């Protein structure tokens, strides 16, 4: 693999120079396709006669970072650069720079103007807006590619590679390129599907969902309602979970609360919520642990949950006996007052509570109320 990687790096430079020197034509695509086979990139297409020369917009599923380069080996097409700064890297990867940095509405208007000129190559768009491995399902198609023209042609793309997985989430295009050079070969299977026109008075969202269903049936996967934003949020959670034990400012390993052996099979996300709940429990020992977990699942922040509990935004019943067993006892004057009022709440004293364990449940309850009142006063200040 390392020998192939080093050899193909030198050959890849020649492929790049040849693709830049030759003009866009059938001869150029044939030469570059043959040279890419030396790099381990094999492109196959089925039903090439279904490709409609009059269609100006191709719609394909997104599997790798080089899908537009592969389809460009079969037919002339351009893919606009949606992410990343324009420049040499964007141009060298084969993206088309439109110079539009505004909203999607401006992008759609610019692409409409581009498609109105018949001499321009067709557009190749990826409505998923994020790459997947193509084996489980399709991300929800965005509607803006279907508002450019009323006729699109779906392109089903499948990628196979031995030993190493085809697409890894959150990996850069350089990493994917190096793995492509490392493995013996990567096979791209391109299947052209019949063109799909827009129905009368059909919205762009419905048009996008209909094409998504057709592509999912052709690929044999599920048409999901998950978006590229959902995938990005999922990757943020995975990164946060994996980096949580090594985050700066975190407690040392010996100081962290130990999880019971019955929780060894719990998911990492649940264990993170439990660890955060223990931190809140140390500050507010009278709050039930289940109430803390429910609020942490919504806020995902220790400070916000503490503020919600102190300010009364989260209703709960205090744990008077269980939470008070580990609390320090009240002062002597409060103990005397407790014997007189028999269980009523004592007035908070400015004296600190003693560190001895109170024998009476009433005294322990009064110590709990004293600490709770002190926390309320501190939060108000």
């Amino acid at each position: 693999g390392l020998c192939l990687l080093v050899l193909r790096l030198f050959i890849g430079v020649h492929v790049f120079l040849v693709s830049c020197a030759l003009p866009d034509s059938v001869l150029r695509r044939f030469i570059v396709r043959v040279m890419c086979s030396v790099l381990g990139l094999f492109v196959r297409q089925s039903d090439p006669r279904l490709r409609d020369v009059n269609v100006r917009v191709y719609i394909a599923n997104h599997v790798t970072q080089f899908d537009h380069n592969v389809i460009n080996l079969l037919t002339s097409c351009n893919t606009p650069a949606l992410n990343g700064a324009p420049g040499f890297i964007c141009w060298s990867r084969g993206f088309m720079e439109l110079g539009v940095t505004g909203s999607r509405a401006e992008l759609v208007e610019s692409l409409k103007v581009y498609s109105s000129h018949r001499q321009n190559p067709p557009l190749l768009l990826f409505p998923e807006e994020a790459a997947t491995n193509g084996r489980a399902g399709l991300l929800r198609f965005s509607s803006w590619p279907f508002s450019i023209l009323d006729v699109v042609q779906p392109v089903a793309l499948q990628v196979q590679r031995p030993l190493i997985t085809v697409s890894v989430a959150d990996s850069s295009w350089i990493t994917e390129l190096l793995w492509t050079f490392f493995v013996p070969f990567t096979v791209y299977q391109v299947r052209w599907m019949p063109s799909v026109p827009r129905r009368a008075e059909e919205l762009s969202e419905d048009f996008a969902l209909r094409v998504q269903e057709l592509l999912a049936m052709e690929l044999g996967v599920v048409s999901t309602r998950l978006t590229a934003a959902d995938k990005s949020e999922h990757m943020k959670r995975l990164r946060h979970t994996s980096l949580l034990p090594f985050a700066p400012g975190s407690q040392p390993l010996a100081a962290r609360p130990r999880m019971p052996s019955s929780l060894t099979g719990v998911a990492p996300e649940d264990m993170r919520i439990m660890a955060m709940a223990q931190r809140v429990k140390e500050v507010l020992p009278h709050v039930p642990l289940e109430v803390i977990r429910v609020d942490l699942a919504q806020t995902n922040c220790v400070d916000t949950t503490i503020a919600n509990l102190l300010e009364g935004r989260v209703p709960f019943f205090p744990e008077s006996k269980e939470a008070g067993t580990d609390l320090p006892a009240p002062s002597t004057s409060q103990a005397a007052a407790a014997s007189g009022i028999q269980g009523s709440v004592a007035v908070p004293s400015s004296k600190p509570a003693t560190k001895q364990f109170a024998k009476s449940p009433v005294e322990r309850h009064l110590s709990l109320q004293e600490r709770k009142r002190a926390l309320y006063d501190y939060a108000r200040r």
Side-chain angles (χ1 to χ4, degrees), residues 81-291:
L82 302 179
N83 300 319
F88 175 76
I89 299 297
C90 182
W91 171 80
S92 62
R93 293 184 59 193
F95 289 105
M96 179 182 61
E97 300 179 20
L98 295 175
V100 178
T101 58
S103 61
R104 287 296 167 87
E106 297 179 2
L107 175 64
V108 170
E109 291 299 326
S110 178
L111 293 178
K112 286 183 179 180
V113 174
Y114 171 87
S115 300
S116 62
H117 300 284
R118 303 297 300 181
Q119 65 273 15
N120 291 333
L123 290 172
L124 173 61
L125 303 177
F126 301 95
E128 288 182 288
E129 298 183 342
T132 64
N133 57 17
R135 294 178 298 182
L138 295 179
L139 296 178
R140 183 185 179 94
F141 279 11
S142 182
S143 60
W144 67 265
F146 299 88
S147 59
I148 301 174
L149 294 175
D150 292 336
V151 180
V152 300
Q153 182 162 18
V155 181
L157 184 63
Q158 288 182 320
V159 187
Q160 297 178 351
R161 176 186 296 170
L163 305 178
I164 306 297
T165 184
V166 172
S167 179
V168 177
D170 208 27
S171 63
S172 63
W173 66 273
I174 298 179
T175 305
E176 294 290 344
L177 181 64
L178 294 179
W179 279 114
T180 302
F181 289 169
F182 182 86
V183 298
F185 58 87
T186 303
V187 180
Y188 286 81
Q189 182 69 38
V190 179
R191 295 202 298 270
W192 300 94
M193 299 174 58
S195 57
V196 181
R198 184 196 298 267
R199 294 172 181 172
E201 299 181 358
E202 187 178 25
L203 299 177
S204 299
E205 291 79 5
D206 299 334
F207 191 20
L209 290 178
R210 186 158 60 91
V211 176
Q212 180 182 351
E213 293 290 343
L214 292 175
L215 262 177
M217 292 177 59
E218 181 69 20
L219 295 170
V221 296
V222 180
S223 177
T224 69
R225 295 297 177 262
L226 300 175
T227 63
D230 296 331
K231 177 192 173 183
S232 178
E233 183 66 24
H234 178 64
M235 297 310 303
K236 288 180 182 178
R237 291 176 180 269
L238 290 181
R239 287 194 297 267
H240 179 74
T241 304
S242 60
L243 297 178
L244 185 63
F246 309 100
S250 60
Q251 298 179 355
L253 192 61
R256 293 177 190 149
R258 297 183 62 185
M259 293 295 175
S261 59
S262 60
L263 300 180
T264 54
V266 181
E269 184 71 15
D270 296 336
M271 295 184 64
R272 186 176 65 88
I273 294 294
M274 292 179 185
M276 296 169 64
Q278 291 294 338
R279 294 169 58 186
V280 178
K281 188 71 173 178
E282 293 175 0
V283 180
L284 304 175
H286 62 284
V287 181
L289 194 60
E290 186 62 30
V291 176

Side-chain angles (χ1 to χ4, degrees), residues 294-367:
V294 172
D295 191 68
L296 279 175
Q298 299 177 357
T299 62
N300 201 22
C301 178
V302 174
D303 297 333
T304 305
T305 298
I306 293 177
N308 292 340
L309 294 171
L310 288 177
E311 296 176 8
R313 287 194 288 265
V314 179
F316 64 91
F317 293 98
E319 292 181 342
S320 58
K321 296 181 180 181
E322 293 80 19
T325 54
D326 296 333
L327 300 179
S331 57
T332 308
S333 59
Q334 292 172 352
S339 60
I341 61 178
Q342 295 183 354
S344 61
V345 179
V347 179
S349 175
S350 60
K351 298 180 182 180
T354 59
K355 297 182 181 298
Q356 297 178 356
F357 185 76
K359 298 180 180 180
S360 172
V362 177
E363 296 177 357
R364 293 196 294 267
H365 178 69
L366 291 176
S367 177

